[in-house]
Amino acid sequence: MDTPAVAVRGLVKRYGTVEAVRGIDLEVARGETFGFLGPNGAGKSTTINILCTLVEPTDGHAEVVGLDVVRDRAAVRRRIGLVFQDPTLDAPMSGEQNLRFHQELYGVDRRRAPARREEVLRMVGLWDRRGDEVRTYSGGMRRRLEIARGLLHSPQVLFLDEPTIGLDPQTRGTIWDYVAELHRSEEITVFVTTHYMDEAEHCDRIAIMNEGRIVALDTPDALKAQVGADRVSITTDDDEAALRALRTELGLEGAVREGAVTIAVPDGAGFVPRLFDRLGGHGVAIRSVTVTRPSLDDVFLAHTGSTIRDAEAGPSMHPMAMRMRR
Ligand SMILES: Nc1ncnc2c1ncn2[C@@H]1O[C@H](COP(=O)(O)OP(=O)(O)OP(=O)(O)O)[C@@H](O)[C@H]1O
């Protein structure tokens, strides 16, 4: 069982002139929960689709549990579970009927099928609602049922493509609790894509993808430690004047991020009094100030020059203020 759960080398996918995946390398160990992060269009879905044998790579090589995703497609499919962005449940059927239908479709051993259904329904907390039609389920319950369905054939690797998209923050948390639980009970590898940076905290390791490339890959803590700086965000009546004063008075390059002037400094709390003093002396009124320890958002910012939300909204007005220190 030493072969990695996922091994990718020089993977490339082109759609016409669009280079969705630009030569990525990646290895995921058995039993890891591995997060794949990036803004819309980064190439996450394309990569996961290749690993799930749904899309063929243009170049490079990908293996899942030691099997080639192009040559051994059928064998790969038997060993993986998929939960994708587009819901594919049958709403007029009950939760359990949906699972039974799936088992029949995949030829699961009839004697073992009911016990496995019960197991997975209990795992995602839907056993009590198993007889209810899916149309009466909330968004979070549907997503949990899809996860249960992805687990029915006891896969070795479970691929989740944005399992929490469109859900409220509380339900997103619940989904992650179930992912952690099934990870413990099933001992499987979980490969999950998301563009919610906070969710990556649940992963053993994460890869940050941007414009078809992996720009960072490590544990969440190691990535945050590499950034090394606190983030100080201020709201002002005149952001341009604040940016100018930061530059001339303090020699710091700030940037406007999500409506606030943001500066990266080694000791955020210690910096605030100086900030008030110097900017105040320049006639810049500070309305509020926030100091945050490095988050995965900052990791993303350090590697790509924009926050993930700014990246999704379009090109930032301000060039990156902070570079990764290697
Ligand atoms: N079937 C396709 N035909 C043409 N272009 C495609 C196709 N699928 C993806 N692309 C393009 O490839 C790039 C990467 O898309 P991909 O869906 O992999 O990104 P993503 O990171 O998963 O984004 P999202 O978070 O929005 O799902 C985008 O520019 C997209 O438009």
Side-chain angles (χ1 to χ4, degrees), residues 15 18 20 39-46 85 162 195:
Y15 293 105
V18 176
N40 292 132
K44 307 179 300 291
S45 297
T46 303
Q85 288 179 26
E162 312 236 0
H195 57 225

Side-chain angles (χ1 to χ4, degrees), residues 3 19 37 43 89 97 110 124 150 168 177 187 217 224 228 246 261 265 325-326:
T3 48
E19 209 168 6
L37 277 87
L89 295 166
Q97 279 168 335
R110 276 176 181 276
V124 299
D168 60 83
D177 290 343
E187 292 178 357
L217 196 165
K224 284 185 283 187
L246 280 168
V261 174
V265 289
R325 288 201 299 245
R326 287 177 194 273

Side-chain angles (χ1 to χ4, degrees), residues 13-16 18-21 37-49 55 85 161-162 165 193-195 209 212 312:
K13 179 65 190 181
R14 276 188 287 271
Y15 293 105
V18 176
E19 209 168 6
V21 178
L37 277 87
N40 292 132
K44 307 179 300 291
S45 297
T46 303
T47 306
I48 210 171
N49 281 335
V55 166
Q85 288 179 26
D161 194 12
E162 312 236 0
I165 200 158
T193 73
T194 178
H195 57 225
M209 199 166 184
E312 290 186 347

Side-chain angles (χ1 to χ4, degrees), residues 47-112:
T47 306
I48 210 171
N49 281 335
I50 292 171
L51 295 174
C52 294
T53 79
L54 300 172
V55 166
E56 283 206 7
T58 310
D59 206 352
H61 188 78
E63 285 182 6
V64 174
V65 295
L67 299 161
D68 188 293
V69 296
V70 178
R71 274 203 323 270
D72 310 315
R73 176 183 291 201
V76 169
R77 288 189 177 182
R78 280 195 296 277
R79 288 165 179 80
I80 61 174
L82 313 177
V83 180
F84 273 7
Q85 288 179 26
D86 300 325
T88 52
L89 295 166
D90 249 311
M93 285 203 241
S94 76
E96 190 171 18
Q97 279 168 335
N98 264 281
L99 298 192
R100 192 183 306 150
F101 180 64
H102 189 80
Q103 285 177 317
E104 283 166 11
L105 214 58
Y106 284 84
V108 174
D109 180 350
R110 276 176 181 276
R111 285 160 304 173
R112 293 198 51 237

